[in-house]
Amino acid sequence: MSQLLSVRGGRRLEGEVTIQGAKNSVLPILAATLLARGQVALLGCPRLRGVDASIRILRHLGCDAHWEADALAVDTTALRRCEISDVLMREMRSSAIFLGAILARCGQADLSYPGGCELGPRPIDLHLAGLRDLGAEIREEGGFLHCRADRLRGREVVLRMPSVGATENLMLAACGAEGVTVISNAAREPEVVDLQNFLNACGARVSGAGSSAVSIEGGQDLHGCTYRVMPDRIAAATYLCAAASAGGDIYLRGAEEGHLSTVTAALREAGCTVTADSGGIRARLRAVGPVQTAPYPGFPTDAQAVLMAALLRSRGATVFEENIFENRYRHVDELIRMGASIRVSGRVAVVTGVERLHSAPVRCTDLRGGAALCVAALAAEGETRVSQICHIDRGYEDLARDLRALGADAVRVEETENG
Ligand code: UD1
């Protein structure tokens, strides 16, 4: 039987949660363990489905991966395969990240083509073009990618747009290339910096992450290390928006304010007090200036939905412009069921604040859209039942647990036939 999340709105949030390790950081780091011989201990590794899927991929490749209390221990010394089946590839949306790592380690990689996702098509043309620039031969055949590279050679690779996944994939491949690779127009997201820090902790020579030119001196022998994954900035943004929505005063242990500056700026503009790593927040917010999603350090597309949910009862209208993904307003229809006033036209959504939100049966359409429904429910009258929470579980270890720690009335319940 599937589970629902039941949220009773109207409670002020008060309390503290520790922010989980970043989902978007740990997945490329797990792929990167393929480059290191010896034991890697990842501290603060979140317990998420994508992590379990990565563990299954690593084990399928012949590697050892197991939990030791809160740390994930990985040893890829015994790697004996360079192929990943369709079933395993489909379990994880960002599985393309294994391509660069396997290619660097084995000189060949055979993977099924990663599928799209609920945000619209997820092309990997930039990943493939970059790998070809480094000397890989890639054949795309019957839904499979066959990649060969007797030798990868470092050189400048210019990305048409600053794709996070392509930047990370190329960093991994470049560690196995001869000479220096420079990735120009690289993504500047903090998770790219985290990957650089992990690789360097294993003995790699990577520099420049966080700027738009990442430089990798390939050919180093990488060894194991103990590494703490950075805190999840989108989980932190979700809880800030939850407090903004419900009103209250919360403390996010471990959250890194520097990673969240566009989100906290929007919340401050809306009337919240956000100090260093804590949020003390007023109940009725103002509308804010246009929120335009952009590559880091711009406003994160992953925080668009939760901020929208926080602003549903604000005074005035806020314009959102989604510039990263084509299909990222699927939560809007569900929010409208709760009494929100939102108009969508192409990439633009206009949210006009309403006095009251009410409960309604709502359904998650994707990970962050699902979190947004919970954020809105905290400010809605009555009990909101959120279904299809498998989407939420992809990104949050336990959203209901964390919201309860902050004083919300949020529990997981079994779905009955009448909901
Ligand atoms: C990562 C994050 C995701 C976040 C996104 C944007 C992970 C695991 N996921 O996804 O949560 O929403 O960054 O911040 O880190 N594109 C191409 N060709 C390519 C690659 C990308 O056209 O080869 C386009 C995409 O369609 C999209 C844009 O580039 O429009 C940005 O995508 P990208 O930065 O690659 O996102 P992901 O790495 O998939």
Side-chain angles (χ1 to χ4, degrees):
M1 216 189 303
S2 57
Q3 289 191 317
L4 297 167
L5 225 142
S6 156
V7 182
R8 272 177 214 280
R11 281 212 204 172
R12 238 179 91 82
L13 299 194
E14 199 121 15
E16 168 176 331
V17 280
T18 300
I19 298 300
Q20 67 185 50
K23 161 173 115 28
N24 287 354
S25 213
V26 77
L27 300 179
I29 288 177
L30 285 172
T33 61
L34 288 172
L35 301 174
R37 282 163 218 253
Q39 175 97 8
V40 170
L42 284 182
L43 310 179
C45 184
R47 304 232 176 196
L48 298 171
R49 276 224 308 278
V51 171
D52 290 335
S54 300
I55 292 175
R56 275 194 292 280
I57 290 176
L58 289 170
R59 287 183 181 155
H60 162 83
L61 296 172
C63 311
D64 176 46
H66 63 272
W67 291 97
E68 282 178 8
D70 271 350
L72 183 62
V74 182
D75 192 332
T76 67
T77 314
L79 177 110
R80 57 183 154 76
R81 271 204 196 122
C82 49
E83 135 289 316
I84 306 180
S85 71
D86 190 47
V87 177
L88 285 170
M89 283 296 283
R90 279 176 195 272
E91 277 189 37
M92 204 176 84
R93 282 170 177 76
S94 49
S95 50
I97 189 70
F98 280 94
L99 193 53
I102 298 180
L103 200 57
R105 171 92 182 255
C106 309
Q108 72 179 78
D110 297 284
L111 271 59
S112 86
Y113 211 92
C117 74
E118 67 271 3
L119 306 181
R122 259 194 170 172
I124 55 164
D125 54 309
L126 295 170
H127 303 230
L128 301 184
L131 292 172
R132 285 187 172 116
D133 283 348
L134 296 182
E137 275 177 39
I138 305 177
R139 269 188 309 121
E140 300 171 54
E141 206 175 69
F144 261 81
L145 291 166
H146 302 284
C147 313
R148 299 284 175 279
D150 294 334
R151 289 163 72 183
L152 291 167
R153 291 214 175 98
R155 53 167 287 182
E156 183 181 9
V157 180
V158 182
L159 295 179
R160 188 183 74 242
M161 61 171 99
S163 154
V164 178
T167 302
E168 294 169 340
N169 224 335
L170 293 172
M171 284 164 74
L172 299 184
C175 283
E178 285 169 20
V180 176
T181 299
V182 176
I183 307 170
S184 296
N185 197 25
R188 292 184 283 164
E189 268 67 2
E191 292 78 9
V192 176
V193 179
D194 211 27
L195 179 62
Q196 166 179 289
N197 292 343
F198 171 76
L199 288 168
N200 287 344
C202 294
R205 294 197 186 148
V206 186
S207 58
S211 78
S212 43
V214 179
S215 173
I216 304 104
E217 207 182 309
Q220 316 299 321
D221 286 329
L222 304 195
H223 48 72
C225 72
T226 297
Y227 189 78
R228 179 168 290 281
V229 179
M230 66 172 255
D232 194 309
R233 63 194 168 98
I234 305 299
T238 303
Y239 302 141
L240 285 175
C241 290
S245 176
D249 189 340
I250 63 166
Y251 185 77
L252 304 178
R253 186 164 295 282
E256 186 82 48
E257 224 251 330
H259 294 162
L260 286 162
S261 51
T262 51
V263 178
T264 52
L267 291 175
R268 285 199 180 100
E269 190 183 336
C272 304
T273 312
V274 184
T275 51
D277 52 358
S278 72
I281 283 145
R282 252 195 287 144
R284 187 91 205 259
L285 308 177
R286 293 187 290 270
V288 301
V291 178
Q292 293 160 322
T293 65
Y296 193 85
F299 191 91
T301 172
D302 288 349
Q304 173 255 105
V306 288
L307 180 66
M308 183 182 286
L311 292 172
L312 296 178
R313 291 192 311 146
S314 61
R315 275 192 212 102
T318 302
V319 176
F320 285 82
E321 188 179 315
E322 171 57 52
N323 295 310
I324 307 293
F325 289 106
E326 282 174 26
N327 198 4
R328 211 158 192 185
Y329 287 132
R330 294 176 64 204
H331 49 281
V332 163
D333 284 344
E334 302 299 307
L335 293 174
I336 289 172
R337 292 170 74 113
M338 299 173 72
S341 167
I342 309 169
R343 272 180 303 118
V344 175
S345 170
R347 292 186 170 278
V348 173
V350 181
V351 177
T352 307
V354 292
E355 280 285 336
R356 297 170 50 229
L357 294 172
H358 52 77
S359 59
V362 288
R363 181 178 301 202
C364 301
T365 54
D366 60 85
L367 163 55
R368 304 303 170 186
L373 300 181
C374 299
V375 168
L378 295 170
E381 289 165 13
E383 181 200 9
T384 299
R385 293 197 148 212
V386 182
S387 63
Q388 297 281 316
I389 58 173
C390 51
H391 291 291
I392 296 179
D393 291 339
R394 281 201 298 108
Y396 301 85
E397 282 189 337
D398 192 341
L399 184 63
R401 172 199 68 195
D402 286 353
L403 291 176
R404 274 198 307 280
L406 297 175
D409 183 347
V411 284
R412 295 173 81 102
V413 294
E414 296 299 333
E415 187 166 15
T416 56
E417 256 172 44
N418 52 12

